Amino acid sequence: MAIEAWFMEENDEDQRLPHHRNPKQFVSLDHLADLGVLYWKLNPKDYENDQELKEIRESRGYNYMDLLDLCPERVENYEEKLKNFYTEHIHGDEEIRYCLEGSGYFDVRDKEDRWIRIWIKEGDMIVLPAGIYHRFTLDTGNYVKVNHSHLHLALRTYSVCTINLLLMCSVDEVVRG
């Protein structure tokens, strides 16, 4: 099953809710690709040995990855931190997120300045292009474990949001490629 994405209804309700418009307006993979958002469905149970993941990482020049666990039991001041992750921001580098367990939402702005909500679940991997405004939140399951691939730390420019994410979350392991 392909990833689910839709145009969001903006309101003040809990950010972990789906926020569908009425009627629902789903977004195609082609529309996401037009924005530079790429998608793969991979096998999260064997990500350490996944040849397709290895090829994607090599073709995009990524030689570093870390695993982040985000849930109330592992993050101090969880509700406050979740609100911080939901702050709109932008990166100078593309961002890869591979969902190994749980689920959450990446919201991206399209060319008409509308929010698109992308629901990542186990096995979904997305690449957000450099220069796209985005934000992240968990869904009502309140748990996600993601693999974050990128250039070596010394070569990457981090936003304040990413630094806060790395400092506040449980980092299970770091793997150098």
Side-chain angles (χ1 to χ4, degrees):
M1 181 173 169
I3 200 164
E4 293 179 60
W6 54 86
F7 288 107
M8 286 184 68
E9 177 66 40
E10 294 189 57
N11 59 45
D12 293 330
E13 291 181 14
D14 186 339
Q15 67 197 39
R16 292 170 284 207
L17 297 174
H19 292 275
H20 281 285
R21 290 183 175 179
N22 188 10
K24 294 178 181 179
Q25 294 178 289
F26 289 96
V27 174
S28 69
L29 284 175
D30 288 339
H31 186 77
L32 291 176
D34 287 344
L35 300 173
V37 177
L38 307 177
Y39 170 74
W40 290 265
K41 184 70 169 182
L42 301 173
N43 177 8
K45 300 298 183 207
D46 192 29
Y47 72 92
E48 296 100 337
N49 302 308
D50 189 316
Q51 188 60 36
E52 185 175 8
L53 177 60
K54 181 180 177 190
E55 289 170 9
I56 293 166
R57 290 182 70 235
E58 287 174 1
S59 72
R60 303 190 86 74
Y62 292 102
N63 58 4
Y64 195 88
M65 70 176 150
D66 48 44
L67 298 177
L68 302 173
D69 261 332
L70 183 56
C71 62
E73 297 79 23
R74 295 183 186 214
V75 178
E76 204 172 304
N77 300 319
Y78 172 77
E79 292 295 330
E80 178 185 327
K81 303 242 176 23
L82 194 61
K83 286 185 187 340
N84 289 339
F85 301 151
Y86 199 58
T87 302
E88 178 180 4
H89 61 282
I90 193 169
H91 298 288
D93 300 317
E94 70 181 22
E95 184 171 343
I96 286 184
R97 290 290 190 262
Y98 177 19
C99 184
L100 302 175
E101 297 175 13
S103 53
Y105 298 119
F106 272 96
D107 300 338
V108 298
R109 285 199 184 271
D110 75 357
K111 294 171 184 169
E112 285 81 43
D113 208 31
R114 300 172 295 183
W115 280 113
I116 296 173
R117 176 150 278 191
I118 304 168
W119 193 9
I120 61 165
K121 300 179 217 168
E122 187 174 302
D124 292 334
M125 186 174 84
I126 61 171
V127 173
L128 301 179
I132 193 169
Y133 284 97
H134 65 281
R135 59 191 181 192
F136 175 77
T137 189
L138 293 178
D139 59 16
T140 56
N142 279 327
Y143 175 68
V144 72
K145 182 175 187 175
V146 294
N147 173 301
H148 173 218
S149 294
H150 46 85
L151 298 172
H152 189 275
L153 284 175
L155 303 175
R156 181 168 165 87
T157 304
Y158 280 97
S159 70
V160 172
C161 180
T162 302
I163 291 169
N164 286 338
L165 178 67
L166 290 170
L167 293 174
M168 295 183 285
C169 297
S170 167
V171 179
D172 280 348
E173 73 184 75
V174 175
V175 180
R176 288 180 178 85

